[in-house]
Amino acid sequence: MPSRPRARGALVALVALFSAGYLAPYLLPTVVGRLAAGLGLGPSQAGLVGSVLLLGSASAGFTLAARVERIGPRRAARLGLLAMALGYGSAAATGTLPLVVAGVVLGGFGSGTATAVAASGIAGRPDPQRASTLGLLSVSATAGALYLTLPRLGGGHSLPLLALAAAAVLVWPVTGRLPGATRAWRGAPSVTEPAGPLPYRRAGAVLAGCIVCWSLAQNALWGVSGRIGTGQAGLSEVTVGAVFALALGAGLAGVTAAGALGSRLGRAVPIGAGTVLIAVCVLLSSTAGGLASFATGEILWNTVYPVVLSYLLGLAASLDPRGRWAVLVGSASSLGTACGPLAGSVLSETAGYPGMGAVLAALLLLVAAPMAAVARHASGRPLVPGSIRRRGGAPAAFMAGAAPATTALLPQVGAPEQEIAPIPPPATGARRTRSAFRLARPTGRG
C-alpha cells in the first residue's frame, strides 16, 4: 500500500513542475507588455526579450532530453527551480536592460529544465494523457489568476517576473517526492538499464517539426491579439482584458473536457480536427471588426488550443516511455513559441492582420494531416522487441508500449534454465481405467 501514496505524491510533484515550467509562455504577453512599458522598449525590442526567454527554455529541453535520469529528477528539478528564482528575481530587481536580459535568459533556462523533468516523468506514467491534462489545467488556472491579479497590483516590469520567481519557490518543497538518481520513475525503465536507441525516429521527427510550426502559429496570433482588439476591432483595453479573462476560463473548461474524454476518440481525431478548428478561429480573430467576432474567435480558440496541446503531449510521451521524445517535442514547441511574436509582428506589418491570419491558418492546415498521421500510426504501438499477436489488440499493444521493457521479458544469455520435472508416459499397451485416477490431495507427510 505505501507505493500508492508515493505514486500520488510523485504525480503532484510532476504537475507542479509542469505548471511552473509552462507558466512563462502563458504569461509572455504581460511580460512583453510590462517590459515595453517599464523599460521604455519598442514593441519589437520587448518581443525580442520575450523570444530570448523562450529560446533559453527550449535550449534547456534540448540539452536535457536524455540526461534527466542520469542527473536525477530531484536534483535536476531543484537546479531548474533555483535558476528560475535567481534569474527572474534578479531581472525583476533591476532596471538595467543587459541585466534584465541576462536574468530572463537564466530564468528561461530554469523553466525549460523544470518542464523537461516534468515531461520525462509524465512519459513514464501509465496514463501520460491524464497527467498532461492535469498539468495544463494547473498552469491555465494559475495564469488566469495572475492575469486577474497583476493589473491590480501596479505597473512596472517587476511583477510578472516576481510571479515566475515565486512560483519556483512555492514548487520547491514538493520536489522531495521525486526520485533521486538511483530510482526509476513509476512505470519507466530502471536507470541502470541501457537507454537503447531512440524509438520511432521518423514519427518523432515529423511530430517535432510540425509542432514547431503549430506553436509558432498559436503564439503569432497570441502576441498581436491585444492590438487586433484595440486597433482593428475598436475595443477598449478594459474590454479586451475581459475577453482574455473569459478566454482563459474557457481554456480551463476545454482542458477539463479533454481529461473527461481521455482516449475514447484516440489521438488522431482530436489532434487533426482540433487543429483545423484552430485554423478557423485564427481566421475569425484576425478578421474581427467588432466585439462579437473578436470574442468568439478568442474564446473558441482558447478552448480548443489546450485540448489539442494535451493530446500532442500525450502522443509524444507514448513514443518513448523514457520521456526523450516528450522532452524534445516540448522543446520544439518552445522554439516555435519563441519565434511566434516576431512572426506575428512581421506578418501583420507586411500583410495586415487578415493576411497574417490567412498565412497562419494555411500553416495550421498544412501540419494537421502529418500530426494526425503520426497519432494514427505510431501512438500506442509496443516499444519492446517483437510485436503482440495475441487477442487484445490495440489496448494490449498500448500497455506494452507504456510498460518498461524489463530484462525478465527478454532472452537472457547464459542464464540457467528452470528445471522442469519429467512426467513419465504410461507404459505401452497398458490400459488405464477410471478408478486409476484420483484427485490430488495433501499426503499428510511433513
Side-chain angles (χ1 to χ4, degrees):
M1 294 302 292
S3 62
R4 187 168 296 178
R6 191 182 303 120
R8 192 178 299 116
L11 177 61
V12 170
L14 291 174
V15 170
L17 272 179
F18 187 98
S19 181
Y22 261 84
L23 190 58
Y26 270 69
L27 291 184
L28 187 65
T30 189
V31 170
V32 171
R34 293 294 185 99
L35 286 174
L39 300 180
L41 302 178
S44 60
Q45 293 175 317
L48 183 60
V49 175
S51 296
V52 167
L53 185 158
L54 294 176
L55 285 174
S57 178
S59 65
F62 287 122
T63 303
L64 298 173
R67 296 179 173 86
V68 172
E69 289 181 348
R70 192 181 312 161
I71 299 172
R74 186 188 306 139
R75 183 185 304 171
R78 288 177 174 175
L79 288 175
L81 294 176
L82 181 61
M84 285 181 63
L86 292 178
Y88 295 132
S90 62
T94 181
T96 305
L97 183 59
L99 295 179
V100 171
V101 173
V104 161
V105 171
L106 179 60
F109 192 88
S111 294
T113 302
T115 303
V117 176
S120 179
I122 287 173
R125 297 192 64 82
D127 189 0
Q129 170 72 26
R130 176 174 174 269
S132 299
T133 300
L134 290 174
L136 288 172
L137 186 63
S138 174
V139 70
S140 297
T142 303
L146 288 174
Y147 270 114
L148 292 175
T149 304
L150 291 178
R152 303 176 182 275
L153 300 179
H157 75 286
S158 300
L159 285 177
L161 296 175
L162 284 176
L164 294 173
V169 174
L170 292 175
V171 171
W172 181 284
V174 302
T175 57
R177 303 179 181 182
L178 298 174
T182 58
R183 290 177 58 193
W185 293 109
R186 181 179 182 266
S190 172
V191 296
T192 59
E193 297 174 7
L198 191 64
Y200 302 126
R201 293 190 177 185
R202 183 179 301 176
V206 170
L207 180 61
C210 288
I211 206 169
V212 170
C213 302
W214 189 87
S215 298
L216 183 149
Q218 311 296 326
N219 220 47
L221 177 63
W222 182 242
V224 299
S225 287
R227 283 180 280 170
I228 291 175
T230 56
Q232 181 173 279
L235 307 176
S236 66
E237 291 186 6
V238 175
T239 304
V240 171
V243 170
F244 286 163
L246 289 174
L248 287 172
L252 291 175
V255 173
T256 305
L261 183 63
S263 58
R264 291 182 178 87
L265 298 178
R267 292 193 179 100
V269 172
I271 290 174
T275 300
V276 172
L277 184 55
I278 289 174
V280 175
C281 296
V282 170
L283 283 176
L284 185 60
S285 294
S286 63
T287 57
L291 175 60
S293 56
F294 179 75
T296 302
E298 291 292 322
I299 292 173
L300 184 59
W301 170 47
N302 278 276
T303 302
V304 180
Y305 159 75
V307 174
V308 180
L309 180 59
S310 69
Y311 281 97
L312 287 171
L313 295 176
L315 171 60
S318 72
L319 296 180
D320 178 22
R322 287 183 175 271
R324 290 169 290 182
W325 274 126
V327 176
L328 289 172
V329 169
S331 301
S333 177
S334 297
L335 184 62
T337 302
C339 300
L342 180 60
S345 297
V346 172
L347 287 173
S348 60
E349 289 176 2
T350 56
Y353 295 125
M356 176 204 70
V359 172
L360 296 179
L363 182 61
L364 288 170
L365 293 176
L366 186 65
V367 301
M371 292 193 303
V374 172
R376 181 176 177 82
H377 297 293
S379 176
R381 291 164 65 181
L383 299 178
V384 294
S387 59
I388 294 181
R389 301 186 182 275
R390 294 197 298 265
R391 193 174 298 173
F398 176 80
M399 291 306 295
T406 57
T407 55
L409 298 177
L410 307 178
Q412 302 297 308
V413 179
E417 295 184 358
Q418 190 175 5
E419 257 185 63
I420 300 176
I423 302 177
T428 306
R431 295 182 61 188
R432 296 286 182 179
T433 62
R434 185 173 181 179
S435 60
F437 299 94
R438 64 180 185 276
L439 294 175
R441 292 187 177 90
T443 59
R445 290 178 292 183

